[in-house]
Amino acid sequence: MKNVYLVCAITFAFVSCNCQKKALDQSPSAATVSAVNQQNMPKLEYVATTRGFYEKITIENNTVTVSHDRNGVDKGETAQISNSDRNELRIALEKFKLSDLSTFKDPTQKRFYDGAAIATLKITDQEKVYETTSFDHGFPPAEIEVLITKITSFGKQE
């Protein structure tokens, strides 16, 4: 009787360990999620600037702040982000690796002759900072176009 009990206990232990391993294998990897998890979304800072125009959109801790003061005296307008907007941002962030952000190529160079504002995106995730090279405001790299469109939509809601 002791042998039957021992065999059943060992079999149960192996089966339960195997189920946990399968569950871990089916979960998304860190590379796929791009360091975006359900609890903490990285801080997003989008800046577009020319000689006569400045816009900074900062998304952090479920709030968005839009500022038009390049000197930082006026902190800008702050609003809460809805759950649907937060989910859209999360989905857009999952489409690329944060470490690849600086390698994305700009589709146009209008900023070189004052045809567009110079824009950059900086993402701060767990003390690591990822930043794009400069690109034309309104013409982001294709890999982050959905994310930039969503971020800039907060600036238009004023």
Side-chain angles (χ1 to χ4, degrees), residues 86-125:
R86 186 174 167 82
N87 287 336
E88 286 181 46
L89 287 168
R90 186 177 316 287
I91 290 168
L93 281 166
E94 290 175 352
K95 294 187 185 277
F96 62 91
K97 290 182 182 178
L98 294 178
S99 59
D100 293 341
L101 195 60
S102 63
T103 64
F104 298 149
K105 301 293 180 205
D106 54 338
T108 60
Q109 288 82 33
K110 295 180 179 185
R111 65 192 177 282
F112 294 145
Y113 58 86
D114 291 338
I118 301 169
T120 58
L121 173 67
K122 182 166 70 169
I123 300 176
T124 306
D125 183 43

Side-chain angles (χ1 to χ4, degrees), residues 8 22-23 30-31 48-49 63 70-71 80 84 87 90 97 118 121-122 124 130 133 144:
C8 288
K22 286 181 183 176
T49 186
T63 60
R70 80 177 70 233
N71 297 324
Q80 292 293 319
S84 63
N87 287 336
R90 186 177 316 287
K97 290 182 182 178
I118 301 169
L121 173 67
K122 182 166 70 169
T124 306
Y130 305 94
T133 57
I144 58 172

